[in-house]
Amino acid sequence: MRKFYLLKTFFVCFAFVCSQADAAIECISKVSNSVTTPDWHCSKHCGDWANTRPMQTLTLEMDQKFKNMGAFFRNPSSSCVGGALCGFSNIPTPGVSANAEQVKLSFKTWSRPVVVTVSADICVVNNAAPPPTPSSNPVVLPSNPIPPKAPVVAPAGKPPVPPQKAHDVEEAGPLADNCDRMKSNWFVDAKNYCSPHNVNLSATNLVCSQRPDGLFRKVSGVFICTP
């Protein structure tokens, strides 16, 4: 579902996008990226265990087709799935780059594996949005306003179908022992990537591979979206 954020000021700037008069920020898609963390459980003599666990990073990169529309990331968020295990982590709010084309989450865990996800809306400035309700205190325009850049109008209907994209779900440690569960996690990521479109399940060829020592497993496949 698209989200609209109405901007009522004369001169509006968000990241690198500026527009004059009344415009609206329209969020046309939502993207996410997830990872299953390694097994970093400590049962005794843990001491400074939490502080010595390495930082991990998840990123979202703006797809070129959205860059061509003048899109930018908005509303970045992070989440953890793992119940009480998520209490043994430090997962802050993600940051957005200066040009609003990348979202980065740096986090740390020190428990059994959990699933950490970073998400954000992809938005554009859309002058075709409904006009705002007239104000009783109208804005007085300056006599010589700075000429703005023309905003890019988003296409009507659904956003473009995302391109095919290779994606891996990885797990490490003694709990990395269930291909079916990891495939289910992979399909959840696929649905998030293709939304609001569908995932072509019949054309998806998932491969589950495991290291000889049994302590690392990976499910690999390609996101294929259909209208």
Side-chain angles (χ1 to χ4, degrees), residues 18-203:
C18 296
S19 63
Q20 191 177 15
D22 290 306
I25 293 178
E26 180 183 2
C27 294
I28 59 176
S29 186
K30 189 177 185 68
V31 292
S32 63
N33 187 16
S34 300
V35 67
T36 301
T37 62
D39 188 344
W40 278 325
H41 172 69
C42 178
S43 58
K44 60 181 179 180
H45 308 303
C46 297
D48 203 30
W49 180 255
N51 291 333
T52 59
R53 294 310 88 205
M55 294 296 292
Q56 302 172 75
T57 302
L58 272 176
T59 59
L60 297 173
E61 299 285 350
M62 184 69 69
D63 191 272
Q64 186 60 49
K65 69 171 180 281
F66 291 121
K67 288 183 181 181
N68 295 340
M69 298 167 59
F72 49 88
F73 283 121
R74 188 181 174 93
N75 305 321
S77 64
S78 58
S79 64
C80 175
V81 177
L85 295 177
C86 292
F88 300 92
S89 64
N90 180 8
I91 305 174
T93 300
V96 180
S97 63
N99 64 1
E101 293 181 354
Q102 183 191 71
V103 175
K104 183 177 182 180
L105 170 65
S106 297
F107 66 97
K108 181 182 289 190
T109 63
W110 53 93
S111 66
R112 299 289 190 192
V114 296
V115 178
V116 178
T117 301
V118 58
S119 304
D121 292 328
I122 295 178
C123 306
V124 295
V125 174
N126 184 358
N127 261 358
T133 303
S135 172
S136 57
N137 297 309
V139 176
V140 178
L141 301 181
S143 57
N144 295 306
I146 300 173
K149 290 184 179 180
V152 179
V153 179
K158 288 186 177 181
V161 177
Q164 294 186 18
K165 177 183 177 182
H167 180 67
D168 298 336
V169 172
E170 301 176 347
E171 289 189 0
L175 294 184
D177 59 355
N178 191 319
C179 274
D180 290 337
R181 174 174 54 80
M182 293 178 65
K183 286 181 179 180
S184 295
N185 291 340
W186 191 97
F187 281 121
V188 170
D189 293 345
K191 290 180 180 178
N192 289 335
Y193 176 76
C194 293
S195 178
H197 301 286
N198 300 314
V199 181
N200 189 339
L201 299 180
S202 61

Side-chain angles (χ1 to χ4, degrees), residues 164-165 186-187 190 198-207 220-226:
Q164 294 186 18
K165 177 183 177 182
W186 191 97
F187 281 121
N198 300 314
V199 181
N200 189 339
L201 299 180
S202 61
T204 299
N205 184 21
L206 291 184
V207 177
S220 303
V222 177
F223 293 156
I224 302 176
C225 308
T226 57

